[in-house]
Amino acid sequence: MPSFRFRNAYRTVAVLAAAMQFLAPAASLAACLICDEVVELDGVRANCFRQDYEKFLSTARSSETSNTEVDLSACAGDDGRERRGLDRMPGLLSLGSESRARNQRELRSVYIFDEASLVCLKRLLDGHEGTIDPSVRFDLVENCKP
């Protein structure tokens, strides 16, 4: 009778190993759930990002999760109090007041990106023609599709 139990155990281990082979690549390609998807920068923050890009990329690559915090507050002259957070509910504003509210609110200086988003944002900034002002939105989900 004991050999029967071992046969079931071997079968179970084989099934679990096969399942892990199929699920492991999917887990590694899963999207970063805490990363920012839309970036609004001005010229100062964009130049700061470009200047420190290699440092941000190195940090993301050495991180266990491949994520890094990109803090542009020093270049932007922020006092560092502003951290990541939810924007005010722009969908609740009446039509016409949304652009006025966007111009009045301060730009964020702290973002969280994964390695792929860093590379994509750098590519988008390098390819952008014209001035970079807060009305320019970089949608990383839409513009960074593989």
Side-chain angles (χ1 to χ4, degrees):
M1 251 357 202
S3 64
F4 177 74
R5 289 184 183 163
F6 285 119
R7 225 178 301 149
N8 285 341
Y10 287 126
R11 184 179 304 149
T12 302
V13 168
V15 168
L16 288 175
M20 287 175 54
Q21 285 181 336
F22 288 112
L23 295 178
S28 67
L29 295 175
C32 173
L33 299 177
I34 61 168
C35 293
D36 290 292
E37 297 175 346
V38 176
V39 180
E40 295 175 329
L41 301 171
D42 58 9
V44 172
R45 288 171 177 83
N47 287 335
C48 185
F49 177 82
R50 287 182 182 125
Q51 175 184 339
D52 292 338
Y53 169 74
E54 292 298 328
K55 180 182 76 171
F56 298 139
L57 189 61
S58 174
T59 304
R61 287 181 175 160
S62 64
S63 168
E64 185 177 308
T65 60
S66 295
N67 301 340
T68 187
E69 178 180 84
V70 172
D71 187 350
L72 307 172
S73 61
C75 294
D78 295 347
D79 60 5
R81 289 183 304 156
E82 184 272 326
R83 305 306 285 176
R84 285 188 81 234
L86 297 175
D87 291 332
R88 291 180 218 113
M89 303 288 190
L92 297 177
L93 298 173
S94 62
L95 292 176
S97 65
E98 184 172 346
S99 63
R100 190 169 56 250
R102 176 177 286 160
N103 290 335
Q104 291 174 352
R105 76 171 188 235
E106 292 183 24
L107 289 175
R108 288 179 37 207
S109 294
V110 180
Y111 294 92
I112 294 182
F113 296 122
D114 59 7
E115 183 179 345
S117 296
L118 282 169
V119 172
C120 181
L121 181 58
K122 174 78 162 72
R123 181 180 50 83
L124 291 173
L125 286 171
D126 289 345
H128 182 75
E129 295 179 9
T131 60
I132 296 177
D133 60 31
S135 67
V136 178
R137 298 181 65 167
F138 297 97
D139 186 335
L140 303 180
V141 173
E142 185 66 31
N143 295 316
C144 301
K145 293 180 181 177

